[in-house]
Amino acid sequence: MLKFVTLAVKVQLNVHDLNNETVAGNVTDIRVMEFLDENGTRREAPAVSGRMLKHWHYEGMRHLILNGLYTSVPLCAGCKVGEPIRPAEIKNGNLKQIAKPEEDAILSCVICDVHGYLIAREAEGESDRGISARRTSRAMFSWLMPVLGPETTSTQVIHTRVSQIRERGEGEQAAQMIFNKSYASGIYAFVSALDVDRIGLVELNLGSSNPYVINNNDRKNRIKVAIEAYRYLISGQMGASLSHAIPHMNQIEVLVAYSEVGPLPFPVSPMYSDYLSKTVGLFPQHAKFLYWGQETPEGVIKKEKISEIFDELLSKAGE
């Protein structure tokens, strides 16, 4: 059975507005990061945080559970409606985070299990320190960074929302509701790792005969939905403006490594030109590599379709 999965993905993104975070009045600007190229020269370009990728992987899982083939996989009330408050329940018509034992949180919600949570508990007296409860994420993501070499561009455009109820006396700008948003284009890369072996596991139970709090069939379904969500992520289903600014995504390379023995290192980022050979040279012998793209790297199994990579991972998850 699968123990660990890593992904290294290179994509072209045209006209995206991911991580539009800087807001000043009616102007929304895209996040720009400083980084070094392979010669150590400082560069600056639009980038997307790993928190954004992690959120949209979670959204992919939620979508598959509520509308797909995994309706039997449980979600807590917060994760069911897409709120970051977890674990949560609805009390008196309001969504509230609930402090509960880790075993109960895992049993009641796959997102709490796979993506983790933090319950910050306030002190209730002078002698109480308010110890928080935390479960670390089994899904880990890098930033989405520009590939070194190709240009990355961004521009700001003007949008208008014509209001029918504004009085013309307030001025044309008020009636049109003018606002500015930034969009960027470039070739990007990210890496991700899924610690499959720790899904459903409580670390404090590692000394027991069975550290998992869910049965084997439930674990398989959770692993499958976590793997399947990556397919939606690399198709471009990410960002806050999917209603009007779906990224023009073109997949360039996908390198997946998996292990049925134990954990794996993180892959070298595809933002570097020699990531394929370095990743293969870094990984242990029990790692199995699946690759889709234009290169013919040594030591990997080349697939004709990206779906063939997911088919093999899902098959291994079901064993």
Side-chain angles (χ1 to χ4, degrees):
M1 190 174 178
L2 281 179
K3 299 284 188 180
F4 208 92
V5 176
T6 70
L7 296 92
V9 180
K10 184 187 294 185
V11 295
Q12 183 178 30
L13 281 170
N14 277 321
V15 196
H16 73 82
D17 69 338
L18 306 176
N19 271 38
N20 260 338
E21 294 181 345
T22 305
V23 180
N26 64 340
V27 178
T28 305
D29 207 356
I30 204 164
R31 174 178 281 186
V32 173
M33 290 297 294
E34 295 182 352
F35 54 96
L36 302 180
D37 65 16
E38 290 173 298
N39 297 318
T41 303
R42 188 184 73 85
R43 290 184 56 185
E44 191 176 271
V48 180
S49 74
R51 288 183 179 274
M52 172 74 79
L53 300 185
K54 190 174 188 297
H55 170 77
W56 286 97
H57 179 265
Y58 146 47
E59 280 291 323
M61 292 180 63
R62 190 173 74 92
H63 174 73
L64 286 164
I65 293 167
L66 295 177
N67 306 294
L69 301 175
Y70 300 95
T71 53
S72 63
V73 178
L75 290 170
C76 71
C79 295
K80 187 174 292 185
V81 298
E83 287 292 333
I85 304 169
R86 60 179 182 260
E89 295 177 2
I90 297 176
K91 289 193 173 182
N92 299 322
N94 296 317
L95 190 68
K96 292 187 177 181
Q97 189 177 50
I98 302 298
K100 59 173 64 177
E102 187 174 4
E103 291 88 344
D104 294 343
I106 294 171
L107 282 168
S108 61
C109 182
V110 63
I111 302 297
C112 294
D113 181 6
V114 175
H115 278 267
Y117 56 83
L118 175 63
I119 303 172
R121 190 171 69 86
E122 296 181 357
E124 297 178 356
E126 293 184 1
S127 61
D128 184 6
R129 295 184 299 171
I131 299 174
S132 300
R134 178 173 180 263
R135 179 170 174 82
T136 57
S137 179
R138 277 57 177 147
M140 297 156 278
F141 291 85
S142 73
W143 279 61
L144 185 75
M145 294 296 295
V147 170
L148 300 177
E151 291 291 327
T152 300
T153 64
S154 64
T155 188
Q156 196 168 89
V157 301
I158 298 175
H159 292 286
T160 62
R161 295 177 182 173
V162 179
S163 173
Q164 301 292 335
I165 61 174
R166 291 276 188 178
E167 294 292 335
R168 296 295 296 178
E170 295 183 34
E172 183 177 351
Q173 183 168 339
Q176 290 186 334
M177 301 172 65
I178 295 173
F179 63 100
N180 301 268
K181 288 187 71 172
S182 293
Y183 297 88
S185 299
I187 298 176
Y188 291 87
F190 76 90
V191 300
S192 181
L194 183 65
D195 194 344
V196 176
D197 199 38
R198 292 169 64 220
I199 293 176
L201 178 143
V202 176
E203 276 80 3
L204 292 177
N205 294 346
L206 284 174
S208 66
S209 59
N210 182 16
Y212 298 99
V213 297
I214 54 177
N215 63 48
N216 198 39
N217 287 332
D218 289 342
R219 281 197 70 241
K220 289 178 181 179
N221 284 332
R222 293 186 180 203
I223 294 167
K224 287 179 180 179
V225 75
I227 290 171
E228 190 74 65
Y230 282 105
R231 190 199 304 263
Y232 291 82
L233 185 67
I234 66 175
S235 76
Q237 289 193 27
M238 54 180 168
S241 302
L242 295 183
S243 65
H244 60 274
I246 294 175
H248 291 268
M249 181 175 282
N250 180 34
Q251 296 81 17
I252 297 175
E253 288 182 321
V254 178
L255 176 68
V256 168
Y258 71 86
S259 171
E260 298 175 275
V261 177
L264 294 174
F266 293 157
V268 177
S269 172
M271 73 181 292
Y272 304 110
S273 58
D274 56 354
Y275 86 97
L276 281 169
S277 60
K278 283 187 175 178
T279 298
V280 174
L282 172 67
F283 274 48
Q285 291 186 348
H286 61 78
K288 298 181 181 179
F289 291 98
L290 308 176
Y291 172 80
W292 175 88
Q294 297 299 316
E295 302 295 326
T296 54
E298 295 183 3
V300 307
I301 299 173
K302 189 170 182 179
K303 298 292 188 178
E304 294 297 320
K305 301 176 182 178
I306 298 176
S307 62
E308 294 177 1
I309 294 177
F310 284 99
D311 289 344
E312 182 163 338
L313 291 176
L314 292 171
S315 174
K316 293 294 181 180
E319 292 181 354

